[in-house]
Amino acid sequence: MSVIPPPPRPLQQFFRSGPMPCPYLPGRVERKLFTRLSTPYASEVNSTLSRAGFRRSHDIVYRPVCPGCNACVPVRIPVADFQPGRSMRRILKANADLSVAEVPAIATHEQFRLFHAYQSSRHGDSDMARMSLGDYSAMVDEGRAETCLFEVRDRRDRLVGAILTDRLRDGLSAVYSFYDADQEKRSLGTFMILSLVAQSLAEGIPYVYLGYWIRNSRKMAYKARFQPLEALGPEGWFRLGLGDLTQAPPSTAPAAAP
């Protein structure tokens, strides 16, 4: 009896974007190396590339290849070694009345209302603040790769936060989060990351991927508070020390043509 070999897997095609203004560091130019996720290999590709420092948005997986700049540093939390500091323990205590539940990655009107309010409050001049319900649904639906949402609700069952999350082979990847910006004292953004750490520990998953840390960007600097933190450098993933967080970032971007 002859054995019919499986069909060959198609090659993964990569592209490079044109130059665009950097959204994080004024006066700099951004370029990205990217590929598209397609079934049936979306989860495998997403996991492999996330370990290589890529990030997912919709059905695109990308990483910066900016000429002359390596400020974007991929980071992840090794959850088995993570210990929340005093301020994070206060955040956990302040939010003990909230519940966190995993739900399918399906956009709802309730989520969109919270998403829109968050964008209007925190990022009113951004393109995301102008997103319609259809745009939000596309953000949740496109490129799905073992994707779910973790919803945060108060005692009245009111949605106060949500985080779009991918399950990777070795971790959970925080794709995008939004929350009730009026409840500033709760520090809901930090609370949701802590919730992913707890979920990873419960499932025996070693890492929570946080995307890019940018030392000189207010939008991204908060990630350095999660200690210990691992970063991806030329020799692979390594533990960031306190000195690394205050000095120039390591060279993480592959060589890029001008």
Side-chain angles (χ1 to χ4, degrees):
M1 177 190 291
S2 62
V3 177
I4 301 175
R9 175 175 169 174
L11 293 176
Q12 192 75 32
Q13 293 185 307
F14 288 80
F15 308 90
R16 190 177 66 172
S17 70
M20 295 287 290
C22 176
Y24 301 109
L25 299 176
R28 301 201 186 183
V29 174
E30 173 190 68
R31 300 191 78 159
K32 293 177 179 176
L33 179 70
F34 69 93
T35 187
R36 290 188 178 276
L37 291 179
S38 59
T39 56
Y41 304 107
S43 296
E44 181 182 349
V45 170
N46 191 37
S47 287
T48 300
L49 292 182
S50 293
R51 290 194 297 272
F54 282 70
R55 187 80 171 143
R56 184 177 78 83
S57 177
H58 292 71
D59 63 342
I60 297 293
V61 185
Y62 69 90
R63 72 166 296 165
V65 285
C66 308
C69 180
N70 53 21
C72 292
V73 181
V75 291
R76 66 188 186 185
I77 303 170
V79 299
D81 297 330
F82 176 75
Q83 293 291 334
R86 183 180 301 176
S87 64
M88 290 186 181
R89 291 196 298 270
R90 284 199 298 265
I91 290 170
L92 289 170
K93 184 176 180 180
N95 292 291
D97 60 321
L98 302 179
S99 62
V100 182
E102 180 180 347
V103 299
I106 300 173
T108 67
H109 285 83
E110 183 185 29
Q111 293 166 9
F112 176 69
R113 286 193 296 270
L114 181 62
F115 172 84
H116 181 70
Y118 171 79
Q119 296 298 337
S120 298
S121 174
R122 293 297 181 92
H123 309 290
D125 58 348
S126 71
D127 290 339
M128 295 188 81
R130 295 183 285 274
M131 286 173 61
S132 65
L133 175 60
D135 296 327
Y136 171 74
S137 297
M139 184 183 79
V140 174
D141 294 338
E142 290 178 354
R144 191 177 301 185
E146 292 192 46
T147 303
C148 67
L149 277 156
F150 287 95
E151 291 187 339
V152 182
R153 295 183 178 273
D154 63 17
R155 289 177 175 173
R156 295 178 294 167
D157 199 36
R158 189 172 70 96
L159 184 69
V160 297
I163 182 165
L164 186 66
T165 305
D166 287 345
R167 272 192 165 79
L168 310 177
R169 289 188 175 181
D170 65 346
L172 297 178
S173 176
V175 177
Y176 194 80
S177 64
F178 53 94
Y179 50 87
D180 184 350
D182 291 335
Q183 300 195 46
E184 188 172 353
K185 291 183 178 180
R186 284 188 178 273
S187 298
L188 287 167
T190 298
F191 173 71
M192 286 191 287
I193 293 175
L194 293 173
S195 297
L196 288 189
V197 170
Q199 184 69 27
S200 297
L201 283 170
E203 296 185 24
I205 301 173
Y207 301 108
V208 170
Y209 286 79
L210 297 181
Y212 300 113
W213 167 63
I214 305 172
R215 182 170 58 89
N216 293 322
S217 169
R218 284 185 58 194
K219 294 180 181 179
M220 297 296 188
Y222 73 92
K223 298 176 184 182
R225 298 200 301 268
F226 294 87
Q227 292 294 321
L229 195 64
E230 292 184 359
L232 181 62
E235 305 301 322
W237 289 93
F238 67 98
R239 187 70 58 89
L240 278 172
L242 293 178
D244 299 312
L245 297 172
T246 56
Q247 297 171 3
S251 176
T252 59

